[in-house]
Amino acid sequence: MNRYDEAKNLYAALGVDTDAALDALKDVCISVHCWQGDDVIGFDCGESLSGGIQTTGNYPGRARTPQELMADLDKAFSLMPGKKKLNLHASYAIFEDGERAERNKLEPKHFCKWIDFAKARGMGIDFNPTFFAHPMVKDNLTLSSPDETVRRYWVEHGQACIRISEAFAEETGVPCVMNIWIPDGCKDIPGDRLGPRARFKQSLDEILSVPYDKSKVYVTLESKVFGIGLESYTVGSAEFCLSYSAKNGITPLMDNGHYHPTEVVSDKISSLLLFNDKIALHVTRPVRWDSDHVVLFDDETREIAKEIVRNDALDRVFIATDYFDASINRISAWITGMRNVQKALLFALLQPNDKLKALQDAADMTALMVLQEELKTAPFGDVWQEYLRRENVKADYLSEIKDYEKKVLVNRV
Ligand code: RNT
Ligand code: ZN
């Protein structure tokens, strides 16, 4: 008997159907963030990263042009199993022949190369207005700025992005998730917490006043607790973003690096699912702060996946990766994080969820603990290998990455 068949029997004894789990996983689409490939720099204005987020490390081989980023994405995609979507930021606009456009004047045509890229690969595109790394960010503020010229500029940027998102959906035939995240905040104790939030609220209202097809564009709103240099006050806090989303019929997005260190997103998912048709996630790994380390197959990633699966919400949660590590091979980082999200989902799909629930309802917490611990050492690896085999992807991606590094990446100097 091969290892998969043996694992299948062992899981069956625990009440789990491994074939059903593999079938479910193959339909899950994960949105792959383009910004891991070039340290969140983009192509539109050459400003260094700001907004309280930081990429650290200077491993050779950063993608410097759209061509390089597309080639690297292709390399990464070829070694990632499963269904993918491309997640772009507005700062990745591609301008032809020196013709530039300001962020408030961006149009679908500035992304036509990306549309062609996605279509050729049968993928949808998700989108993010870029409210950072730009000279119009004044005093760390964008949509909440008291300077009407600044606020208007960024409102127009948001509106332009809605039109671009709708074009992505129309061109690819796949709905587009457009995520709004602003870095706005204060390093030190503010004298007014209400004013910036009131202006942010008004700006969002203005952005959403652009007519768009809600079956094609899902607008999401991402909260945050603090950023580097913005430690004391964040305009788009959790309460603000959840309340705004609930009241205005848009989708809340939780990034698991955006909460206090002992708060976990896995515990928030069930609550949001009770009150929202859809929710969105940025899967990342915070180490001591929102450090955006590569996602690992760790406890919290598994717990997040379990909450999606056991609440039967695979079709209600938009899952996207969001991390940036410049200290290791960037393509390997992409693949490792993506595969770990999928591993966590498979692990969750291999839980006897009905049994676990019944034990809890019967208040048999002893048996619940024993079974949950037992599951940790079940032959998960053999089922994962079977998934890779069915997806036609090798378990070993490192050798191919090392080869690409030698042939392509080291020449980028
Ligand atoms: C920042 C947010 C945001 C960004 C990307 C680049 O803390 O997580 O999602 O990481 O938009
Ligand atoms: Zn995020």
Side-chain angles (χ1 to χ4, degrees), residues 99-376:
E99 174 234 8
R100 305 195 73 79
E102 266 298 323
R103 283 196 191 161
N104 63 338
K105 300 274 187 270
L106 284 171
E107 293 175 45
K109 71 170 185 205
H110 301 119
F111 294 88
C112 60
K113 292 234 170 83
W114 285 116
I115 293 173
D116 293 344
F117 177 87
K119 274 175 146 174
R121 287 150 189 80
M123 278 180 194
I125 308 177
D126 288 334
F127 199 46
N128 305 261
T130 311
F131 297 103
F132 54 83
H134 191 278
M136 277 304 273
V137 180
K138 299 276 201 248
D139 308 315
N140 299 317
L141 302 175
T142 63
L143 292 177
S144 75
S145 175
D147 178 336
E148 196 48 27
T149 316
V150 172
R151 198 184 68 81
R152 182 106 322 267
Y153 178 89
W154 291 110
V155 165
E156 286 168 9
H157 176 55
Q159 294 173 333
C161 287
I162 292 206
R163 291 188 281 264
I164 295 164
S165 298
E166 198 162 49
F168 285 160
E170 273 157 12
E171 290 281 346
T172 64
V174 182
C176 172
V177 175
M178 187 191 103
N179 179 48
I180 298 177
W181 169 73
I182 59 162
D184 299 31
C186 294
K187 179 184 171 93
D188 227 313
I189 303 167
D192 174 21
R193 288 187 163 86
L194 186 67
R197 288 187 172 133
R199 288 188 292 270
F200 184 27
K201 182 169 179 255
Q202 188 195 334
S203 298
L204 289 170
D205 289 348
E206 289 166 8
I207 292 172
L208 296 173
S209 72
V210 169
Y212 66 96
D213 183 339
K214 295 210 162 82
S215 69
K216 289 185 182 148
V217 179
Y218 288 87
V219 176
T220 64
L221 185 59
E222 178 179 14
S223 69
K224 189 160 176 173
V225 62
F226 82 94
I228 295 291
L230 304 161
E231 287 84 357
S232 302
Y233 170 67
T234 293
V235 179
S237 60
E239 297 72 19
F240 179 98
C241 292
L242 284 182
S243 307
Y244 189 92
S245 304
K247 199 154 182 207
N248 296 281
I250 60 167
T251 302
L253 184 146
M254 296 188 290
D255 176 312
N256 62 300
H258 289 191
Y259 296 86
H260 290 285
T262 61
E263 246 184 303
V264 280
V265 162
S266 54
D267 187 56
K268 301 175 187 294
I269 291 173
S270 49
S271 300
L272 289 200
L273 285 174
L274 285 171
F275 297 96
N276 291 275
D277 290 338
K278 306 260 185 206
I279 65 167
L281 298 178
H282 270 183
V283 187
T284 184
R285 179 168 52 105
V287 179
R288 305 188 191 283
W289 66 289
D290 181 29
S291 57
D292 286 299
H293 279 64
V294 177
V295 174
L296 299 183
F297 185 55
D298 57 12
D299 285 348
E300 174 57 5
T301 310
R302 283 199 292 265
E303 210 57 31
I304 288 173
K306 283 191 210 164
E307 287 299 315
I308 301 171
V309 168
R310 67 185 166 203
N311 297 322
D312 198 18
L314 277 168
D315 56 350
R316 292 172 59 203
V317 183
F318 297 115
I319 307 173
T321 48
D322 179 17
Y323 51 81
F324 19 100
D325 194 335
S327 74
I328 58 175
N329 181 298
R330 291 171 185 78
I331 301 169
S332 179
W334 246 328
I335 301 163
T336 302
M338 172 72 163
R339 286 192 181 200
N340 283 329
V341 174
Q342 293 165 321
K343 267 189 206 160
L345 288 167
L346 181 61
F347 189 84
L349 286 160
L350 293 170
Q351 301 275 306
N353 290 310
D354 293 342
K355 214 187 245 180
L356 297 172
K357 184 175 179 299
L359 289 172
Q360 179 175 322
D361 289 347
D364 193 348
M365 306 313 270
T366 309
L368 179 60
M369 180 191 280
V370 172
L371 179 54
Q372 292 198 100
E373 288 305 293
E374 187 69 26
L375 286 158
K376 287 183 181 171

Side-chain angles (χ1 to χ4, degrees), residues 37-38 42-43 61-69 72 411-413:
D38 76 329
F43 307 121
R62 181 182 86 76
R64 301 156 303 176
T65 62
Q67 294 69 33
E68 288 179 355
L69 188 61
D72 292 358
N411 302 319
R412 293 179 186 168
V413 278

